[in-house]
Amino acid sequence: MLQVISFTICPFVQRVTALLEAKQIPYQVKYISLKDKPEWFLELSPHGQVPVLVTEKGTAIFESEAIVEYIAELYPNESEALSAEERAKERAWGYLAAKHYLTQCSAQRSGDYDTLISRQAKLNKAFSAIERAKGDLPFFNSEEPGWVDVAWLPLLHRAGIIKQYSGYDFLKEFPKLRQWQQNLIASGLTNRSVADNFEDKFTEFYLSKDTYLGNGCCDSSANSKLDTHCAKGNCC
Ligand SMILES: N[C@@H](CCC(=O)N[C@@H](CS)C(=O)NCC(=O)O)C(=O)O
């Protein structure tokens, strides 16, 4: 069986597990600590990063982009009979999402208001672009989640958790993305692509007291500043 070497809250890993889930491919997950990387892991991953996919033959593939390409090639869906041009466009939208995973991570970890807003502005460029490209179908121009959906899923899933716990909505200006987020959550893919304790681990790190969002959009001192993004209007 395929094995995914993972770190619980890594968005690059979640893209891989979401694709495996969407394609209903069986796999096992092995979690490691990135603070104390095991020797066997460092032998598999030349840059010491997750995800790593260990194939049925025992070959280790690193870099999430290479891993999702491998999975798509090995397990093609009939509905994925795309022209070269269509496939290239899908790959490009997927790449745009992955390029923003670390931007979202750092936005969530912002220590102050100005940092959060400048990082949100970087995210907004990508969000605006995909909001314009998104049609009215439940997923990215399709009835079922596909390549582009699983690439954007980590961003949309995490934005949902941040909103739920802090009231801050990264997607406030993007109605189509909010609907897409709801459709992905309703599909079950968001939950199935992470560990049972994902939400605890995620909020523990990204909404810790070291972070601006962890100290509360609902904090009265932050209230007026965050008003434009606080999902709860009068701030809780
Ligand atoms: N370009 C890599 C990025 C993966 C990545 O940044 N993984 C992080 C966790 S989310 C990691 O392993 N960090 C540990 C390190 O860099 O030492 C990919 O797409 O697989």
Side-chain angles (χ1 to χ4, degrees):
M1 193 184 292
L2 295 176
Q3 192 178 53
V4 180
I5 317 295
S6 171
F7 173 65
T8 317
I9 58 174
C10 175
F12 298 92
V13 172
Q14 193 179 9
R15 179 184 185 190
V16 170
T17 49
L19 184 63
L20 290 165
E21 290 288 342
K23 287 179 168 287
Q24 301 184 351
I25 299 164
Y27 63 99
Q28 290 172 333
V29 183
K30 195 172 184 79
Y31 294 97
I32 60 160
S33 160
L34 291 177
K35 283 193 187 137
D36 183 19
K37 297 173 188 167
E39 269 311 312
W40 61 262
F41 168 69
L42 293 171
E43 277 166 28
L44 300 182
S45 175
H47 52 9
Q49 294 189 326
V50 292
V52 169
L53 182 83
V54 182
T55 69
E56 309 265 3
K57 289 183 184 163
T59 305
I61 305 174
F62 61 98
E63 279 296 326
S64 58
E65 204 70 48
I67 296 171
V68 288
E69 288 280 355
Y70 168 79
I71 295 167
E73 202 173 319
L74 205 61
Y75 303 91
N77 290 357
E78 277 173 34
S79 59
E80 281 172 0
L82 301 175
S83 68
E85 198 171 281
E86 286 165 336
R87 184 172 306 107
K89 276 176 70 182
E90 290 216 330
R91 298 298 189 257
W93 283 116
Y95 184 61
L96 186 72
K99 261 175 76 172
H100 287 82
Y101 291 167
L102 294 180
T103 314
Q104 185 187 47
C105 292
S106 62
Q108 292 162 166
R109 285 288 296 174
S110 300
D112 58 64
Y113 171 79
D114 290 337
T115 308
L116 171 63
I117 295 306
S118 72
R119 290 172 180 169
Q120 164 92 58
K122 286 185 193 159
L123 280 174
N124 280 0
K125 285 189 186 167
F127 287 162
S128 299
I130 191 112
E131 172 92 2
R132 284 195 302 276
K134 173 91 179 64
D136 292 328
L137 291 174
F139 298 102
F140 190 75
N141 300 337
S142 62
E143 294 287 351
E144 298 296 330
W147 180 271
V148 181
D149 299 280
V150 299
W152 286 80
L153 178 144
L155 295 169
L156 301 176
H157 184 196
R158 285 144 203 261
I161 298 172
I162 293 286
K163 179 179 165 190
Q164 182 190 338
Y165 283 84
S166 74
Y168 185 83
D169 192 359
F170 277 102
L171 305 181
K172 187 155 184 180
E173 294 163 28
F174 306 104
K176 283 188 177 174
L177 297 197
R178 289 207 308 274
Q179 185 56 56
W180 190 13
Q181 176 191 58
Q182 292 314 306
N183 297 342
L184 284 167
I185 292 168
S187 76
L189 265 189
T190 48
N191 279 345
R192 292 205 308 276
S193 55
V194 290
D196 290 345
N197 62 353
F198 172 75
E199 226 165 274
D200 291 344
K201 295 275 182 197
F202 177 83
T203 51
E204 203 175 284
F205 184 65
Y206 286 110
L207 296 176
S208 78
K209 290 292 169 208
D210 303 333
T211 68
Y212 188 69
L213 290 174
N215 279 313
C217 142
C218 305
D219 178 325
S220 56
S221 61
N223 227 358
S224 55
K225 284 183 167 182
L226 278 179
D227 201 34
T228 51
H229 281 281
C230 183
K232 296 181 184 166
N234 278 343
C235 237
C236 331

